[in-house]
Amino acid sequence: MAVWDDVVGQDRVTAQLAAAARDADTLVTAEQAGQEPPLGEPSEPPSADRSGASQMTHAWLFTGPPGSGRSTAARAFAAALQCVSPDRALGGAPGCGFCDGCHTALIGTHADVEIVRTDLLSIGVKETRDLVRRSSLSPSGGRWQVIVLEDADRLTEGAGNVLLKAVEEPAPRTVWLLCAPSVEDVLPTIRSRCRLLSLRTPPVDAVADILVRRDGIEPAAADRAARATQGHIGRARRLATDERARARRTAVLKLPLRVDDIGGCLKAAQELIDAAGEDAKQVAEEVDTKETEELRAALGAAAGTGGRLPRGTAGAMKELQDKQKRRSTRTQRDSLDLALVDLTGFYRDVLALQMGASVPLANDEVRDSVQRIATASTPERTLRRIEAVIACREALDRNVAPLLAVEAMTVALRAG
């Protein structure tokens, strides 16, 4: 299985990456043989002429909507750059998926591939400086030093300025792979030094196929999940495999029928916030306890929660608790945002019925509810309701109190 097999519905992007990986392989092979490199040095910034987009360069920016597979494509490219398959000498393309270089890069254990993601609200200066120091090292055993930054849009302004210097003057054989929803989410000075790859939302059929092929999900369930999430690969997999996720989504899709009066609006808003809080709590139960016990053990505390910490280690424990609190905040926001995306999909189906569109419904399992709302309102009111959901998401991005933002939204949904 080639490393590109999990990059769903992105044929143009995978073709560019595969060509770049071949060029990179040729470059390293020539250097190791003491020959003149056939390509420009990887530290050269990408040319403004995109006709050479398949040529290897030192920094890449993967953009695309949530669920498009930005990080999957970046990881696949990282694996192809580290491919050591003997078939390459016979003309085979790098990225076989089976050799030690590909396998360890894909599962995140390759010594020269650093995969960076955050479960916090932002990536700060300290973490970015650590990455920059890492990027200055020569590959320890692989062919390239690869830094995959999955949440480049979460860099603070200070962190972005720290990263800029490393992208401007990269070390030889170091490659930066940045992922962000759009080019506007990255500092202009950084994105101007990267080669841009724009991914699209994968087709529903392609997402359903990979759920069947890779995750062993029943075809009917895979099709429902892919259609419900409109091609978002990660959400589709979770919806198909997690009963709690399906239950929460079902509850969200009932909300439009529960905003007939102000009391119903306020109650529905509170329940939506509570559900997001429960999601954050579940993540905390699964992760926080393990992290805390591991840190206590590392600091030399006695086994069990009652063991006292050695003198001078309280600061480390406080730092971990602060990190867990920030992660809980992001988890709650992400869960709430996911509910709002499902709500937008519901009203999209309502609008499709009202306009007589021939597109399949994303929420066909609640067609009766969709039809009821469509019959009782007009396309103009549906558009205003979609705008209310979007306004709520924007308010949450501006750190408006979640309950106030959701209450304002439910009242707007009632008014139409």
Side-chain angles (χ1 to χ4, degrees):
M1 180 182 72
V3 296
W4 315 111
D5 287 355
D6 286 347
V7 185
V8 181
Q10 313 291 345
D11 294 342
R12 180 182 58 82
V13 169
T14 54
Q16 292 184 28
L17 293 176
R22 284 195 296 270
D23 288 346
D25 182 65
T26 302
L27 173 62
V28 174
T29 301
E31 286 183 353
Q32 291 175 341
Q35 301 172 0
E36 187 70 22
L39 301 176
E41 288 297 324
S43 58
E44 294 177 358
S47 167
D49 178 11
R50 294 308 184 191
S51 63
S54 66
Q55 199 173 22
M56 183 59 188
T57 190
H58 71 287
W60 301 74
L61 176 58
F62 296 77
T63 66
S68 57
R70 301 184 301 262
S71 60
T72 301
R75 286 186 180 215
F77 187 39
L81 292 177
Q82 305 293 8
C83 183
V84 292
S85 169
D87 292 340
R88 294 174 298 111
L90 304 175
C96 66
F98 295 102
C99 70
D100 183 67
C102 287
H103 177 69
T104 54
L106 289 174
I107 65 175
T109 59
H110 197 290
D112 295 319
V113 177
E114 180 76 7
I115 298 175
V116 183
R117 70 179 70 84
T118 183
D119 47 15
L120 306 178
L121 296 175
S122 63
I123 299 175
V125 171
K126 179 179 180 296
E127 299 95 322
T128 308
R129 283 178 176 157
D130 291 340
L131 283 180
V132 170
R133 281 193 290 269
R134 167 71 182 263
S135 72
S136 65
L137 302 176
S138 298
S140 62
R143 301 167 69 78
W144 297 86
Q145 182 75 252
V146 185
I147 313 292
V148 181
L149 186 55
E150 293 188 357
D151 299 296
D153 55 308
R154 295 188 181 271
L155 288 166
T156 64
E157 184 176 355
N161 291 329
V162 171
L163 178 63
L164 174 61
K165 185 68 173 177
V167 175
E168 279 183 324
E169 301 175 4
R173 304 256 297 270
T174 292
V175 183
W176 289 90
L177 307 181
L178 312 181
C179 305
S182 69
V183 293
E184 288 77 16
D185 292 313
V186 180
L187 287 176
T189 48
I190 292 179
R191 67 184 186 234
S192 66
R193 290 161 174 81
C194 298
R195 179 164 295 160
L196 176 63
L197 291 176
S198 298
L199 283 73
R200 65 189 181 105
T201 299
V204 170
D205 292 344
V207 175
D209 176 70
I210 198 170
L211 291 179
V212 173
R213 174 168 49 86
R214 186 176 61 186
D215 301 297
I217 297 169
E218 290 294 327
D223 183 69
R224 283 195 302 271
R227 188 174 60 252
T229 57
Q230 291 296 284
H232 191 299
I233 303 171
R235 288 178 53 209
R237 182 182 297 111
R238 184 182 181 193
L239 196 61
T241 58
D242 188 344
E243 181 62 37
R244 293 179 302 183
R246 292 193 290 270
R248 282 191 290 272
R249 182 173 179 276
T250 299
V252 169
L253 296 181
K254 291 179 180 178
L255 186 146
L257 301 176
R258 301 175 54 205
V259 293
D260 292 334
D261 53 51
I262 293 298
C265 292
L266 300 181
K267 183 178 180 181
Q270 185 63 63
E271 289 178 357
L272 206 57
I273 295 297
D274 291 343
E278 185 63 28
D279 247 3
K281 182 179 178 181
Q282 288 173 358
V283 171
E285 290 176 349
E286 296 170 0
V287 179
D288 289 4
T289 302
K290 180 181 178 182
E291 281 184 345
T292 301
E293 288 303 315
E294 287 178 349
L295 180 59
R296 291 176 64 86
L299 295 175
T305 57
R308 295 185 61 182
L309 287 169
R311 187 185 301 273
T313 59
M317 186 60 68
K318 179 64 166 56
E319 183 178 350
L320 176 62
Q321 291 170 350
D322 290 342
K323 174 185 174 182
Q324 291 172 344
K325 184 177 180 180
R326 294 195 300 271
R327 180 170 59 205
S328 177
T329 300
R330 177 181 171 181
T331 301
Q332 184 171 1
R333 289 187 182 181
D334 287 349
S335 177
L336 187 55
D337 187 70
L338 180 58
L340 297 178
V341 170
D342 287 333
L343 198 55
T344 305
F346 180 93
Y347 285 114
R348 171 262 192 196
D349 287 348
V350 171
L351 187 62
L353 289 184
Q354 290 173 331
M355 302 301 293
S358 59
V359 297
L361 298 186
N363 304 286
D364 195 59
E365 69 274 20
V366 292
R367 177 180 284 269
D368 290 345
S369 298
V370 173
Q371 184 68 61
R372 178 178 167 182
I373 299 294
T375 303
S377 65
T378 63
E380 292 78 11
R381 294 183 67 187
T382 302
L383 285 172
R384 286 196 293 269
R385 285 165 171 160
I386 292 175
E387 289 171 353
V389 180
I390 294 173
C392 181
R393 297 183 69 190
E394 292 174 346
L396 293 172
D397 282 342
R398 297 193 302 270
N399 291 324
V400 174
L403 183 57
L404 291 178
V406 177
E407 285 179 344
M409 179 196 71
T410 54
V411 171
L413 294 179
R414 173 178 178 269

